[in-house]
Amino acid sequence: MSSPALSLLRSYCSPRTWRKAHRRADSIIYWSEGGGRIVAVVRGDCGDHLVYLSETSVDCSCWGFITHPYVLCSHIAAVLIRLAREGRARDAKRYIEVFENGRRCPPKMFLKTSLKNLNELFATESVKEGGLPVGVLTEFYGFPESGKTILVFQLAYEAMKSMGSNALLWDTEGGISKHMIPFWKPRFDRRYGINPKVVDVKVDVEPIVRPKKKKEEAEEEEIITEARERDLVGYSVKIRMEKAPKEEANRPRIYVLRCGAIEKILAIHGFPVIREISDAGKMTIRLLPHGHAAEYWDSPMYRLVKMGNIKYIAYDSVSAPLDIFGSAQENFPARSDAAKYWLTQAQNIAEDLDAIIIGTFHASINPAQPIKLHPVPKDGVAPLHRFKYIIYMEKGRGKDTRNLVKLYLRRHTAKEGWTDVNTKVLRLTNGGYVDV
């Protein structure tokens, strides 16, 4: 690597990080390139970490980079060092400059909705009408009964009508198909003048087990009915959904996928992992050595979205699958790793396919300071860094305000959060949400 590039890279790394980066440049277990992007998996002290480099973003799934995004971690530095070793100093310098400029996958456009108050929350000086951000992750979070699921279902109609495409509702908690859709679909059909067909997506995620050798079979004294964790090498993911007949080729579709297990969710997004539990009860997430490739464009999720002409995706909710890690502090890194693998792939899909991707989260309050602090998403800092637009939803409690929902802008790429100016109100009626 040339001296200027070397100096630039070292300026973002501590001496310890720089030493680790040189060692980890030899511990890159996965590498893929395409379309000006590099996806790599680097083995670290606390697990395997995803490094993503593009013309607009430099990112890593490790805890250190999430908490200190202005300091290069050893995993990103290792990838850049490997580029330099291969005689690609110019490429390494280009990615360093991307990081230096602080560019982070900006949304390509906004989709204007019929809810003016919601549009204004996302509006900027250059896009005064606002609307739902496209090509980037958007988060809605709140306490139970704040109306998150109803809103994301209504926004699916907004996207289908405006974009002429289909929508996917990923149900991680259960009940959407049998309880929510039958009630709200006829009302939204009348309101938006479209009649989308609801299609259940069936996903089979089966473990791939290493075949036993003859010697192992001979030495085995008892029958083991379940595959041992050390024999698991990957997952087989099969997605099945009803094919649209010719007479319904132009009819919009709402795909509903029911899956709440975090291992299956990550496998569908292209990350075969195993959740390990120590004798002390500590959980860790480990990438399997074989299985499905980690590129987002080769994941089952990407193929589903592209083949289904899906431009709107709602994960309801992201919090539920992560609850399996519990609230123990020792499990926070595993919870964060799972969320980062999942959401990094979702961001890549949103950016590549110009899709609207929304995730709902449960809200929580710090019990030590319940009055001073605003409610935060339940699952730590990962949502705060992966979602570029965050809205907190609060339902009214009084007799006259119980149908009102306040929308607080928590995060925006160009606006200040938690201000009265950036707070709007919607009313929930029998026909869905309307402006107040």
Side-chain angles (χ1 to χ4, degrees):
M1 185 183 293
S2 63
S3 179
L6 178 63
S7 301
L8 185 60
L9 178 58
R10 294 197 65 173
S11 66
Y12 287 101
C13 301
S14 65
R16 181 184 178 188
T17 298
W18 186 247
R19 292 192 298 270
K20 283 186 175 182
H22 280 277
R23 295 197 304 267
R24 288 176 179 165
D26 299 321
S27 301
I28 299 175
I29 61 177
Y30 182 84
W31 185 283
S32 178
E33 293 187 53
R37 302 181 181 91
I38 295 178
V39 178
V41 177
V42 183
R43 181 140 291 170
D45 296 333
C46 301
D48 303 328
H49 302 290
L50 174 71
V51 175
Y52 174 77
L53 308 179
S54 72
E55 300 295 334
T56 58
S57 176
V58 172
D59 209 350
C60 180
S61 65
C62 72
W63 183 260
F65 190 73
I66 288 296
T67 55
H68 301 88
Y70 300 106
V71 179
L72 274 180
C73 65
S74 60
H75 311 102
I76 295 176
V79 173
L80 297 174
I81 290 173
R82 174 168 169 172
L83 286 174
R85 289 178 179 176
E86 296 176 352
R88 301 170 59 185
R90 290 185 178 180
D91 292 339
K93 185 176 181 180
R94 185 175 73 252
Y95 290 123
I96 295 171
E97 291 173 349
V98 170
F99 174 80
E100 185 182 36
N101 294 334
R103 293 181 287 176
R104 291 290 189 276
C105 299
K108 298 179 180 179
M109 60 179 180
F110 292 83
L111 177 71
K112 184 180 178 181
T113 73
S114 62
L115 299 174
K116 183 179 178 181
N117 288 347
L118 179 65
N119 295 338
E120 290 178 353
L121 282 179
F122 299 106
T124 63
E125 293 183 359
S126 59
V127 186
K128 296 183 179 180
E129 292 185 345
L132 289 176
V134 178
V136 73
L137 302 184
T138 302
E139 173 185 335
F140 290 90
Y141 76 100
F143 290 99
E145 299 183 356
S146 58
K148 302 183 293 295
T149 303
I150 299 173
L151 180 58
V152 297
F153 186 37
Q154 181 174 341
L155 294 178
Y157 274 78
E158 298 278 358
M160 287 187 293
K161 185 173 182 179
S162 299
M163 305 175 78
S165 57
N166 301 321
L168 171 65
L169 300 181
W170 190 307
D171 181 11
T172 66
E173 300 179 349
I176 287 182
S177 294
K178 295 183 178 180
H179 297 277
M180 191 198 73
I181 290 181
F183 179 84
W184 286 104
K185 185 180 182 300
R187 290 163 170 78
F188 291 150
D189 287 352
R190 291 192 296 268
R191 176 171 175 174
Y192 290 96
I194 58 177
N195 181 25
K197 184 175 182 178
V198 178
V199 178
D200 288 327
V201 179
K202 305 296 183 182
V203 180
D204 298 324
V205 181
E206 300 294 337
I208 301 175
V209 182
R210 176 180 62 86
K212 297 183 179 69
K213 298 180 181 179
K214 291 183 178 180
K215 184 178 180 181
E216 290 179 334
E217 293 178 350
E219 294 177 350
E220 198 169 89
E221 297 180 355
E222 59 182 5
I223 298 176
I224 300 177
T225 58
E226 296 183 1
R228 292 171 293 181
E229 289 184 350
R230 66 182 179 87
D231 293 329
L232 185 63
V233 296
Y235 295 94
S236 171
V237 180
K238 296 181 180 179
I239 299 177
R240 295 177 286 112
M241 56 186 178
E242 179 185 344
K243 188 176 181 181
K246 292 182 180 180
E247 59 271 16
E248 294 184 355
N250 296 325
R251 183 183 179 186
R253 289 187 151 205
I254 299 176
Y255 295 103
V256 180
L257 194 160
R258 172 73 177 96
C259 180
I262 189 61
E263 291 93 340
K264 292 184 178 181
I265 291 173
L266 293 179
I268 295 171
H269 285 77
F271 278 93
V273 302
I274 187 169
R275 181 168 50 90
E276 299 175 338
I277 305 177
S278 68
D279 294 338
K282 180 180 179 180
M283 296 187 188
T284 56
I285 286 286
R286 279 281 182 180
L287 283 171
L288 296 174
H290 305 288
H292 204 281
E295 304 106 322
Y296 73 91
W297 60 82
D298 195 28
S299 67
M301 181 62 178
Y302 182 85
R303 295 197 300 270
L304 169 63
V305 174
K306 194 167 185 178
M307 294 174 60
N309 188 29
I310 297 169
K311 292 295 185 180
Y312 176 91
I313 303 170
Y315 296 107
D316 187 44
S317 67
V318 177
S319 296
L322 300 176
D323 285 343
I324 194 171
F325 296 101
S327 58
Q329 187 172 359
E330 61 185 7
N331 293 331
F332 285 178
R335 175 193 289 263
S336 179
D337 286 344
K340 286 179 287 187
Y341 287 146
W342 177 3
L343 299 176
T344 298
Q345 294 292 73
Q347 170 57 47
N348 293 337
I349 292 172
E351 182 182 6
D352 191 316
L353 300 179
D354 290 333
I356 298 171
I357 297 186
I358 295 176
T360 66
F361 283 78
H362 303 159
S364 64
I365 293 180
N366 186 348
Q369 295 178 312
I371 298 178
K372 295 182 179 180
L373 298 180
H374 295 290
V376 297
K378 182 180 179 182
D379 298 291
V381 299
L384 297 179
H385 288 278
R386 300 301 173 193
F387 289 83
K388 302 306 177 187
Y389 298 88
I390 301 178
I391 303 294
Y392 169 63
M393 299 178 62
E394 182 182 60
K395 186 178 181 181
R397 299 180 180 180
K399 182 178 179 181
D400 298 330
T401 60
R402 60 186 179 183
N403 290 330
L404 299 180
V405 177
K406 282 188 176 181
L407 304 179
Y408 296 87
L409 182 65
R410 167 67 188 271
R411 186 183 187 190
H412 194 287
T413 59
K415 297 167 68 174
E416 183 180 359
W418 296 119
T419 64
D420 293 338
V421 176
N422 294 322
T423 301
K424 302 295 179 181
V425 180
L426 298 177
R427 181 185 299 275
L428 181 59
T429 67
N430 288 331
Y433 283 98
V434 295
D435 289 316
V436 175

